[in-house]
Amino acid sequence: MSKNIILCGFMGSGKTTIGHRLAVLLDRPFLDMDAYIEEQEGMTITEIFAQKGEEAFRRMETEACRTLSKEKNLIIGSGGGTVLREENAALLRENGVILLLDVPLWVLQKRLQYDTHRPLLQKPNREEIIRDLYHQRTPLYRSAADYRVHTKKTALQTAEFIARKFGNL
């Protein structure tokens, strides 16, 4: 069995899209951490934020990291805030390698301009929120990641690069 490959990065960086493609290329299961938490809790991330608050959701993320760190051979798309907690990154690193999908701010702004699913963006000043979060989170992503992957190409090309470079872990 192989180590897990954990994709981290800002919301809209392609963790789920690239993760699905990578899973096919490496013949491994893909697990989206947000979907995993939704399934465990029986409610959407938006509902969790509304009913229990962000702090409760962050505790759920840590518990998911604790559980998933015991698994092997997975491709994991972490939530946008997952590895911002050092504890989560350390748990995931126990049996995995963390890859940062490094995407320029202007690309993220474009990808997220019409998003209606991410709770943190459901405010009128979306562009400002994305910019501020990007500047807060990017250094933390870089610190948590074992490697940075620049995603200037298509999702498939990025997945193919990751498969070549990290597929034998």
Side-chain angles (χ1 to χ4, degrees):
M1 287 295 225
S2 301
K3 283 187 165 193
N4 296 325
I5 297 175
I6 298 98
L7 304 177
C8 80
F10 200 81
M11 56 185 111
S13 64
K15 297 178 297 287
T16 301
T17 304
I18 292 168
H20 280 297
R21 285 166 177 74
L22 184 59
V24 170
L25 290 170
L26 295 178
D27 193 27
R28 295 186 183 196
F30 174 73
L31 189 142
D32 178 279
M33 192 170 290
D34 284 346
Y36 174 83
I37 292 169
E38 287 178 337
E39 185 177 314
Q40 297 296 308
E41 295 300 314
M43 58 177 70
T44 67
I45 302 299
T46 302
E47 291 168 339
I48 294 168
F49 266 70
Q51 295 175 26
K52 298 182 178 186
E54 183 176 357
E55 189 54 37
F57 174 73
R58 298 299 173 201
R59 285 192 301 273
M60 293 171 196
E61 275 185 324
T62 299
E63 195 51 45
C65 290
R66 189 170 285 111
T67 300
L68 296 174
S69 70
K70 294 170 180 49
E71 298 292 326
K72 294 181 180 178
N73 209 39
L74 295 175
I75 307 296
I76 300 172
S78 69
T82 304
V83 300
L84 300 179
R85 287 191 174 184
E86 286 183 36
E87 177 184 8
N88 294 349
L91 285 165
L92 291 170
R93 202 175 282 111
E94 285 177 7
N95 187 40
V97 60
I98 300 174
L99 307 181
L100 168 60
L101 299 180
D102 211 348
V103 179
L105 175 59
W106 70 269
V107 173
L108 295 168
Q109 291 280 15
K110 188 173 180 181
R111 288 181 185 172
L112 296 169
Q113 67 184 343
Y114 302 114
D115 182 274
T116 59
H117 296 94
R118 292 173 172 90
L120 294 176
L121 299 184
Q122 303 318 308
K123 298 178 179 120
N125 57 339
R126 173 188 308 248
E127 209 169 287
E128 182 182 330
I129 290 168
I130 293 169
R131 184 184 63 246
D132 291 348
L133 281 173
Y134 179 86
H135 290 301
Q136 286 171 4
R137 291 179 171 193
T138 298
L140 299 170
Y141 290 139
R142 289 178 179 163
S143 172
D146 297 307
Y147 301 95
R148 287 168 60 184
V149 176
H150 298 278
T151 60
K152 295 179 182 172
K153 301 182 185 225
T154 68
L156 180 57
Q157 289 169 319
T158 301
E160 288 170 340
F161 170 79
I162 293 170
R164 280 193 307 275
K165 187 152 176 87
F166 302 100
N168 293 325
L169 293 175

